[in-house]
Amino acid sequence: DAGVIQSPRHEVTEMGQEVTLRCKPISGHDYLFWYRQTMMRGLELLIYFNNNVPIDDSGMPEDRFSAKMPNASFSTLKIQPSEPRDSAVYFCASSPGQVTDTQYFGPGTRLTVL
Amino acid sequence: KQEVTQIPAALSVPEGENLVLNCSFTDSAIYNLQWFRQDPGKGLTSLLLIQSSQREQTSGRLNASLDKSSGRSTLYIAASQPGDSATYLCAVPFRQTGANNLFFGTGTRLTVIP
């Protein structure tokens, strides 16, 4: 298996622009997670899906952030409009979902908002 | 409030030494505790997962222990190698917030000097 795939790996944009991050989970995993990692706050869970349905979005910082999972093999995290404080590394992870299972992380997307 | 803390933030040791990384958490009602490794510019890789009913897990030169009552876990690395250089993070899903909501520590950056 190729693991969790994220694109793009790096994104540089200007404040006010729309940003879309993409994720392909491991086939057969029922859970998909979006995380954000910053120096100040560490790694934080933004939202997670079970069988394509959003379960917990309490970590989504503002209405500017939205996430979708239209099918079992694809998810997007969108920021509109982007702000400099959104600069971070965004990780996608997937999991079979049992308590005994770990989460498998993608390589991340490094976002820089100028 | 659920929190996970790791000390030290950074550690530098000569090759061949045994070392211990520490993780503490504020609520003993947990599903499990996980240790991850993160290499620069990359995602997280799961190292060990200890269920709440277990006391320790071993994988090769790595041994992780769990003491729920005191809210502590340690990751023991034997005979350290330069390839062990990375940031190590522990993560805990608390029963109050759900099995899929991982709270991460801020990590310990390990450098093994050849």
Side-chain angles (χ1 to χ4, degrees):
Chain A
D1 198 317
V4 176
I5 300 173
Q6 291 187 247
S7 65
R9 292 295 312 278
H10 302 273
E11 177 80 32
V12 180
T13 190
E14 292 188 347
M15 182 174 63
Q17 296 298 307
E18 177 180 294
V19 176
T20 299
L21 311 181
R22 297 172 175 80
C23 175
K24 176 179 169 57
I26 294 173
S27 177
H29 284 190
D30 292 334
Y31 286 79
L32 183 140
F33 308 82
W34 282 102
Y35 291 88
R36 179 173 66 176
Q37 186 175 40
T38 61
M39 289 293 293
M40 290 295 296
R41 300 175 66 89
L43 198 60
E44 300 174 290
L45 177 65
L46 299 177
I47 185 172
Y48 76 90
F49 295 82
N50 179 21
N51 291 322
N52 314 337
V53 176
I55 302 300
D56 184 352
D57 65 354
S58 59
M60 296 285 264
E62 299 173 32
D63 291 344
R64 299 184 295 106
F65 286 69
S66 62
K68 294 182 179 180
M69 192 165 186
N71 57 63
S73 59
F74 183 67
S75 177
T76 59
L77 178 67
K78 185 176 294 186
I79 308 173
Q80 167 64 20
S82 58
E83 297 182 2
R85 60 195 169 118
D86 301 331
S87 297
V89 181
Y90 291 82
F91 289 102
C92 176
S94 70
S95 168
Q98 301 302 313
V99 173
T100 53
D101 294 321
T102 188
Q103 296 180 16
Y104 296 82
F105 282 73
T109 295
R110 181 174 295 276
L111 173 65
T112 302
V113 183
L114 303 174
Chain B
K1 179 182 178 183
Q2 287 87 2
E3 288 185 358
V4 181
T5 306
Q6 290 185 249
I7 53 173
L11 181 65
S12 184
V13 300
E15 181 178 2
E17 270 202 8
N18 304 325
L19 60 100
V20 174
L21 307 180
N22 297 292
C23 173
S24 61
F25 44 95
T26 53
D27 185 350
S28 62
I30 64 174
Y31 286 97
N32 57 57
L33 185 140
Q34 303 180 41
W35 284 94
F36 290 86
R37 168 183 174 141
Q38 184 174 24
D39 292 283
K42 297 189 177 181
L44 281 67
T45 300
S46 178
L47 297 173
L48 290 165
L49 186 155
I50 312 175
Q51 297 298 334
S52 62
S53 58
Q54 297 176 318
R55 297 283 296 189
E56 65 178 326
Q57 277 283 351
T58 298
S59 176
R61 294 182 294 108
L62 305 180
N63 176 276
S65 68
L66 174 63
D67 184 346
K68 275 195 314 179
S69 60
S70 66
R72 295 179 187 276
S73 175
T74 61
L75 179 66
Y76 175 83
I77 303 178
S80 58
Q81 303 171 359
D84 296 330
S85 298
T87 297
Y88 292 80
L89 299 102
C90 65
V92 177
F94 296 97
R95 290 195 177 272
Q96 186 172 356
T97 43
N100 289 295
N101 193 345
L102 289 182
F103 286 78
F104 282 83
T106 50
T108 295
R109 180 177 295 180
L110 172 66
T111 302
V112 180
I113 303 167

